[in-house]
C-alpha cells in the first residue's frame, strides 16, 4: 500500500522498517505477536484525527496502543499485516490542572505514574495504582477500565474520569472534556468509550478526578486461616474503618512462597506461616499532626478485635515508610514471581464477595481432583470481589514437553473455572478486559440480547469495523441460546 499520503497527513513518526515496528507488534508478556502495514506515532489529537481519516478513506483497520502492558492481547494486531498500529505514546501533555475543581486534563499517552506525579505536584491525589504504572498510559487505563489496588475506596478508571476527548472511526474529533460531576444530558458517550478497548474510537485526552492527599497511609499484613475468615475480616474492617479502608488484598501462602523464592529482599513479616494472608491499608485524612499515630491506632484496634474473634491469627503493622513499601512489595511481586516459574494460566474473575470463600473451596477441590499436581496461585483484590485465580505447572516438571502439556490444559481449566464463576453470578474479566484472550469465552456467558445490543453499538459507531477489529466482540459469531 502506498503510504505517501499518510506520511504527508500528519506530523508525528511513521515506522515501516521491521526492526522499528517490532517492539510495537508483540505484547508485554510476549504472548501475542502480529504484523502491521506501519506504526504511526502522532504527536497531537489533530494528528490522530488525520491518521484515522486516512484509514477510513482507505479501509485500513486500526489497532490503538498505549503502553502495551495489557494482559488480554487487545493492543497487538493480527498476523494478516493489514492493520495500522496507532501508538498514542507521544500524546504526552498534561494540559491543565484545576485544584479547586479537583481535576486534571491529560493526553492519552501520559503514563499512570506521570498522572500521579502531576496530581501530587498540585497537592492532590490521583489514586489509581497498579504494578504496571510506570509504563501503562492513561488512555490504555481508560480503554480497559483498569482497576488496581485502590478500587475499594476510589473506584475503577471509569469512576475516576469525568470527561473524554475521542477521535471517531471516521476521523472526527469529539471534545467531551467536561469537568462535571453531574451531567444528565442524554446518552453517556464517555461511558461507552471507557472499557471499549479501542473498538469504538481512540481516546486522545481525559479529564480525571483528583482527591485530597491522605496525610498518612499505614498497612498491616495479617495471617488468616481461610478465605472465609478473610471475608469476615473485610466486613469488620469496613464497619470499623469506613472510607479509611483503602485496600484489602488476599494472597495464599503459595504466592508468598514464590515471592520469597524469586525476590531477594522479600521476607515473611510474621513468625509462623499461614495458609492465607491479607494486606490491608488505612488512609488517614486531616487529623492534624497526629495522622500516622491515628491511622496506626485505628488499625491496632481493628486487629485486636479480629484476633479476639478468631478472624485473624497474627499480624504485622508498618511502622515506617520502608516497612509500608516492603509489605506492599510482597503483594505486588506475585505476578512476576509466578512468571519466573514458567508458563501460567490466568483467570481474572470477580464474584459477589459473599460467594468468594465457597468459590475458592469448591474450585480448588475440583482442580485437585481433575488436574492433580497443578499449583494454585490465588491472590487478588478481595475488597472488590476480584481474584486472580492463576495456575502454574507442578514444580518438578520443567521440560519443554511439560510446558506444552500444561498449556494444553488452558481450555478445560477455563471451562471449569469460568463455569463456576458464572454459576455464582460472577464475571470472567474483572479488570483486564477481553481483547482476544477472553473474547469468545465472554460470548459464551453473555446473553444473546446483551451481545445483540453490543453489536448494535459497534455498528453505529464503527460501521466499517475498522477499529481494533476482532477484539472484544466477534461480529461473525452466531449465538445459540443457552
Ligand atoms: C505487571 C502488570 C500488572 C498489572 N496490574 C493490573 C491491575 O492491577 N489492574 C488492571 O486493571 N490491570 C493491570 N495490568 C494490565 C494493564 O496494565 C492495564 O490493562 C492497563 O490499563 C493497560 O494500559 P496500556 O496503556 O498499557 O494499554 P495497552 O496495553 O497499550 O492497550 C490495552 C487496550 O486498550 C486499547 N487502547 C490503548 N490506548 C488506547 C487509546 N488511547 N484509545 C483507545 N484504545 C486504547 C488497546 O487497543 C488495547 O485494546 C497489569 C499489567 C502488568 C504488566
Amino acid at each position: 500500500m502506498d503510504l505517501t499520503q499518510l506520511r504527508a497527513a500528519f506530523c508525528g513518526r511513521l515506522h515501516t522498517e521491521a526492526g522499528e515496528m517490532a517492539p510495537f507488534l508483540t505484547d508485554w508478556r510476549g504472548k501475542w505477536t502480529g504484523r502491521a502495514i506501519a506504526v504511526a506515532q502522532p504527536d497531537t489529537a489533530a494528528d490522530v484525527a488525520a491518521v484515522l481519516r486516512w484509514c477510513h478513506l482507505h479501509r485500513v483497520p486500526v489497532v490503538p496502543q498505549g503502553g502495551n502492558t495489557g494482559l488480554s492481547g487487545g493492543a497487538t494486531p493480527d498476523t494478516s499485516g493489514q492493520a495500522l498500529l496507532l501508538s498514542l505514546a507521544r500524546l504526552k501533555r498534561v494540559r491543565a490542572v484545576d485544584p479547586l475543581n479537583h481535576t486534571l486534563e491529560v493526553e492519552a499517552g501520559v503514563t499512570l505514574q506521570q498522572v500521579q506525579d502531576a496530581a501530587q505536584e498540585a497537592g492532590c491525589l490521583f489514586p489509581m495504582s497498579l504494578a504496571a504504572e510506570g509504563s501503562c498510559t492513561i488512555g490504555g487505563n481508560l480503554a480497559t477500565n483498569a482497576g488496581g489496588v485502590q478500587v475499594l475506596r476510589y473506584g475503577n478508571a471509569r469512576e475516576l474520569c469525568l470527561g473524554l476527548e475521542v477521535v471517531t472511526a471516521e476521523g472526527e474529533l469529539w471534545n467531551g472534556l467536561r469537568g462535571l460531576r453531574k451531567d444528565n444530558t442524554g446518552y453517556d458517550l464517555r461511558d461507552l468509550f471507557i472499557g471499549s478497548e479501542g473498538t469504538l474510537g481512540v481516546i486522545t485526552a481525559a479529564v480525571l478526578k483528583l482527591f485530597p492527599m491522605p496525610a498518612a497511609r499505614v498497612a498491616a499484613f495479617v495471617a488468616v486461616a481461610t478465605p472465609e475468615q478473610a471475608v469476615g475480616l473485610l466486613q469488620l474492617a469496613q464497619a470499623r474503618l469506613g472510607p479509611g479502608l483503602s485496600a484489602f488484598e488476599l494472597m495464599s501462602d503459595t504466592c508468598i512462597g514464590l515471592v520469597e523464592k524469586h525476590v531477594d529482599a522479600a521476607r515473611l513479616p510474621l513468625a509462623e506461616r499461614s495458609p492465607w494472608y491479607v494486606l490491608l491499608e488505612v488512609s488517614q485524612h486531616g487529623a492534624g499532626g497526629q495522622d500516622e499515630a491515628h491511622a496506626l491506632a485505628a488499625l491496632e484496634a481493628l486487629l485486636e478485635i479480629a484476633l479476639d474473634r478468631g478472624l485473624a491469627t497474627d499480624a504485622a503493622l508498618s511502622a515506617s515508610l520502608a516497612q509500608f513499601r516492603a509489605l506492599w512489595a510482597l503483594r505486588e511481586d506475585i505476578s512476576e514471581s509466578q512468571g519466573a516459574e514458567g508458563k501460567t494460566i490466568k483467570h481474572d474473575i470477580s464474584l459477589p464477595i459473599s460467594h468468594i470463600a465457597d468459590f475458592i473451596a469448591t474450585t480448588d477441590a475440583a482442580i485437585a481432583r481433575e488436574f492433580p499436581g497443578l499449583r494454585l496461585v490465588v491472590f487478588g483484590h478481595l475488597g472488590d470481589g476480584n481474584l486472580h485465580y492463576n495456575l502454574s505447572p507442578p514444580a518438578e516438571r520443567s521440560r519443554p514437553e511439560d510446558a506444552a502439556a500444561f498449556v494444553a490444559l488452558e481450555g478445560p481449566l477455563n471451562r471449569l473455572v469460568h463455569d463456576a464463576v458464572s454459576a455464582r453470578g460472577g464475571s470472567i474479566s474483572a479488570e483486564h478486559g477481553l481483547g482476544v484472550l477472553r473474547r469468545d469465552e465472554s460470548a459464551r456467558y453473555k446473553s444473546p440480547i446483551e451481545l445483540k445490543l453490543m453489536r448494535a453499538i459497534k455498528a453505529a459507531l464503527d460501521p466499517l469495523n475498522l477499529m481494533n477489529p476482532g477484539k472484544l466482540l466477534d461480529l461473525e459469531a452466531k449465538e445459540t441460546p443457552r
Side-chain angles (χ1 to χ4, degrees), residues 51 185 376 436:
V51 172
T185 52
L376 284 154
V436 284

Side-chain angles (χ1 to χ4, degrees), residues 28 63-71 73-75 88 108 129-132 135-149 197-199 201-204 331 335-336 381 388 431-432 435 468 471:
W28 179 83
V63 180
Q65 187 179 95
N68 200 14
T69 69
L71 298 174
L88 283 307
S129 172
L130 46 98
S135 309
C136 64
T137 62
I138 197 68
N141 299 147
L142 290 164
T144 56
N145 187 24
V149 291
E197 300 181 45
T199 62
V202 177
I203 297 168
T204 49
R331 162 65 183 86
S335 272
E336 256 182 277
H381 317 295
H388 299 307
E431 57 175 11
H432 295 164
N468 218 358
K471 312 290 170 56

Side-chain angles (χ1 to χ4, degrees), residues 274-321:
S274 167
W276 294 90
Y277 307 99
V278 161
L279 177 68
L280 63 85
E281 183 192 284
V282 176
S283 304
Q284 183 79 34
H285 279 92
Q290 290 290 308
D291 309 305
E292 188 131 349
H294 277 118
L296 274 173
L299 204 45
E300 273 165 6
L302 167 79
L303 292 171
E304 219 171 281
I305 301 172
L307 289 164
D308 251 21
R309 292 189 189 169
L311 292 174
T313 51
D314 196 5
L317 271 70
S318 65
S320 65
L321 185 62

Side-chain angles (χ1 to χ4, degrees), residues 110-458:
V110 176
T111 65
L112 176 54
Q113 192 160 9
Q114 289 163 340
V115 173
Q116 295 165 352
D117 291 348
Q120 194 170 355
E121 268 173 43
C124 297
L125 172 76
F126 184 68
M128 183 188 284
S129 172
L130 46 98
E133 62 200 21
S135 309
C136 64
T137 62
I138 197 68
N141 299 147
L142 290 164
T144 56
N145 187 24
V149 291
Q150 300 277 310
V151 174
L152 178 62
R153 173 150 185 191
Y154 298 100
N156 292 301
R158 186 183 300 284
E159 281 88 49
L160 298 172
C161 176
L162 294 175
L164 283 185
E165 179 185 81
V166 171
V167 176
T168 68
E170 290 176 22
E172 291 169 315
L173 187 63
W174 171 57
N175 182 340
L177 291 168
R178 301 174 190 122
L180 304 175
R181 287 166 177 82
K182 289 191 163 185
D183 179 18
N184 278 352
T185 52
Y187 304 134
D188 198 328
L189 299 179
R190 173 199 58 191
D191 269 356
L192 269 185
F193 289 109
I194 295 175
S196 67
E197 300 181 45
T199 62
L200 299 180
V202 177
I203 297 168
T204 49
V207 177
L208 304 172
K209 262 191 215 170
L210 301 182
F211 295 82
M213 186 70 86
R217 287 168 74 191
V218 292
F221 195 85
V222 188
V224 295
T226 61
E228 214 163 357
Q229 280 193 352
V231 172
L233 179 62
L234 171 64
Q235 230 189 353
L236 179 70
Q238 285 174 318
R240 298 266 321 174
L241 303 169
L245 181 66
S246 44
F248 195 99
E249 301 284 309
L250 176 72
M251 61 220 100
S252 69
D253 190 46
T254 307
C255 299
I256 297 303
L258 291 178
V259 176
E260 288 170 304
K261 180 174 168 191
H262 293 289
V263 180
D264 283 347
R267 299 274 174 282
L268 181 73
L270 305 170
E272 305 264 333
R273 302 204 81 85
S274 167
W276 294 90
Y277 307 99
V278 161
L279 177 68
L280 63 85
E281 183 192 284
V282 176
S283 304
Q284 183 79 34
H285 279 92
Q290 290 290 308
D291 309 305
E292 188 131 349
H294 277 118
L296 274 173
L299 204 45
E300 273 165 6
L302 167 79
L303 292 171
E304 219 171 281
I305 301 172
L307 289 164
D308 251 21
R309 292 189 189 169
L311 292 174
T313 51
D314 196 5
L317 271 70
S318 65
S320 65
L321 185 62
Q323 284 179 8
F324 177 84
R325 288 192 176 136
L327 293 185
W328 264 112
L330 286 172
R331 162 65 183 86
E332 281 172 346
D333 289 339
I334 296 173
S335 272
E336 256 182 277
S337 302
Q338 188 190 8
E341 289 283 296
K343 296 280 180 200
T344 58
I345 295 177
K346 299 191 176 201
H347 303 101
D348 167 38
I349 59 169
S350 71
L351 290 154
I353 290 167
S354 43
H355 289 288
I356 291 256
D358 165 57
F359 167 84
I360 293 177
T362 317
T363 315
D364 282 9
I367 288 176
R369 202 170 48 242
E370 294 179 35
F371 304 92
L374 295 191
R375 284 178 290 169
L376 284 154
V377 183
V378 178
F379 60 99
H381 317 295
L382 183 65
D384 317 324
N386 177 191
L387 289 180
H388 299 307
Y389 192 83
N390 295 351
L391 292 123
S392 284
E396 68 280 7
R397 292 190 212 151
S398 55
R399 296 168 309 164
E401 57 269 38
D402 293 330
F406 174 69
V407 170
L409 298 178
E410 183 157 13
L413 277 164
N414 283 350
R415 187 62 52 250
L416 189 158
V417 173
H418 291 159
D419 280 356
V421 168
S422 172
R424 290 168 177 80
S427 164
I428 67 150
S429 179
E431 57 175 11
H432 295 164
L434 299 177
V436 284
L437 181 66
R438 304 200 196 292
R439 183 194 72 171
D440 297 341
E441 250 338 69
S442 164
R444 186 183 159 82
Y445 297 103
K446 282 195 185 291
S447 69
I449 178 116
E450 195 168 352
L451 289 166
K452 187 176 84 178
L453 293 173
M454 283 171 65
R455 289 201 183 102
I457 291 168
K458 171 77 172 165

